[in-house]
Amino acid sequence: MSAKKIAIIGGGNLGSAIAQGLVKSGFSQPSDITVTKRNTGTLADLKAAGVQVETDNAKAIRQSEVIVVALKPYNVREVLQELKGDLDPAKHILISVVTGVSIADLSHIVPDMPVVRAMPNTAIAIQESITCICAANASEEQLRYVKTMFDQLGATVSIDEKLMDAATVLGACGIAFALRFIRANIQGGIEIGFDVRTASLIAAQTVKGAAELLIRKNRHPEEEIDKVTTPKGCTIAGLNEMEHQGFSSSLIKGISTSYNKIVKG
């Protein structure tokens, strides 16, 4: 798969993280990536690494083949309207990582463009994101390229666009849910005797290990839980008390509430 020039329109936290991950993974040479932002002073680290830094979106697009839109949702229409004359369906593929902007919305602004929506999460900063992808008007080769690109930044899964709001909750909001669980673990650890630093390390590494067990062994969580729960043991006692207090149901309700907030506003 030949190297392509990539323009990242919007050098905020997400756009910068994508650029850093693509360089760090070796997927792209720094000079093949252009990141745009009004205030380029915050992109000094990327510039020092050899990434092209620009304030001119049109210039970045003209010298690139892959266009990653990493703008705030309220800026997308205005910016793309300004740039539609520079976007060429025969040359460019448009990848949007913008929450809540549909493929239909994007295609209305820039008709006939190959469009891919990608929903990563903040773990993209350390190349551990789960990125959900859907597309319209894109070739199989273009889709393979986009999937390979985001595979450098974690893992990818292709979904129907109707599930993008659900993907936002489970994958993006899910980071916050997992972190809140870890924080509660830390607080519990302090209560039973650990200092905060040690409790933080134990809690975070334990969750990381649990996740890796499921990913590497392709197991259901209950299979691994069964290995830890012995008759009359402390694990099952703690799990049952959490369930009595509504642990699983509160998490499920939280996910449903977040989803309804997106769908209904």
Side-chain angles (χ1 to χ4, degrees):
M1 193 173 291
S2 60
K4 298 182 185 295
K5 301 282 189 180
I6 299 171
I8 300 174
I9 308 302
N13 291 335
L14 181 54
S16 297
I18 291 171
Q20 290 165 358
L22 294 177
V23 171
K24 187 176 179 181
S25 67
F27 181 79
S28 299
Q29 294 298 312
S31 58
D32 286 338
I33 300 175
T34 303
V35 180
T36 70
K37 195 176 184 185
R38 288 177 182 172
N39 175 19
T40 59
T42 61
L43 304 177
D45 289 346
L46 285 175
K47 187 174 183 179
V51 172
Q52 307 299 308
V53 171
E54 266 290 344
T55 57
D56 188 338
N57 291 327
K59 180 180 177 182
I61 287 173
R62 287 194 297 269
Q63 62 190 25
S64 303
E65 299 151 279
V66 179
I67 314 302
V68 179
V69 180
L71 299 163
K72 299 294 184 185
Y74 59 82
N75 281 339
V76 172
R77 177 173 293 277
E78 178 185 353
V79 173
L80 288 185
Q81 284 284 8
E82 293 174 355
L83 299 172
K84 63 189 303 182
D86 298 292
L87 290 165
D88 180 359
K91 174 185 178 183
H92 296 127
I93 180 168
L94 190 70
I95 303 171
S96 170
V97 294
V98 183
T99 301
V101 179
S102 70
I103 288 175
D105 292 335
L106 295 165
S107 296
H108 181 73
I109 303 168
V110 282
D112 302 320
M113 283 289 297
V115 175
V116 176
R117 278 188 73 188
M119 176 53 62
N121 63 32
T122 54
I124 202 167
I126 57 168
Q127 297 171 261
E128 290 291 350
S129 176
I130 178 67
T131 301
C132 296
I133 292 172
C134 62
N137 211 28
S139 68
E140 287 189 13
E141 181 182 358
Q142 288 172 323
L143 281 175
R144 279 197 303 272
Y145 176 87
V146 174
K147 186 178 188 306
T148 302
M149 173 177 156
F150 281 99
D151 278 340
Q152 313 308 306
L153 307 171
T156 59
V157 60
S158 296
I159 64 172
D160 291 334
E161 189 179 18
K162 65 184 180 182
L163 290 171
M164 266 298 177
D165 288 338
T168 301
V169 174
L170 201 58
C173 302
I175 286 276
F177 302 155
L179 290 170
R180 182 57 60 86
F181 168 77
I182 293 171
R183 191 182 86 170
N185 256 358
I186 293 166
Q187 291 172 317
I190 294 169
E191 185 169 330
I192 61 176
F194 286 106
D195 65 87
V196 65
R197 187 180 298 275
T198 304
S200 296
L201 176 60
I202 294 172
Q205 181 61 41
T206 299
V207 171
K208 179 182 178 183
E212 287 293 338
L213 279 173
L214 302 185
I215 293 168
R216 294 187 190 183
K217 294 188 175 183
N218 194 27
R219 298 275 177 80
H220 190 280
E222 289 301 326
E223 291 182 78
E224 296 300 329
I225 289 172
D226 286 345
K227 294 177 182 178
V228 188
T229 50
T230 55
K232 295 186 177 181
C234 60
T235 304
I236 192 63
L239 283 173
N240 285 344
E241 179 61 24
M242 291 177 195
E243 291 303 326
H244 292 324
Q245 298 298 326
F247 175 75
S248 293
S249 62
S250 66
L251 180 55
I252 294 165
K253 287 179 180 177
I255 291 169
S256 297
T257 299
S258 290
Y259 178 73
N260 289 332
K261 179 67 175 178
I262 290 178
V263 173
K264 299 177 183 177

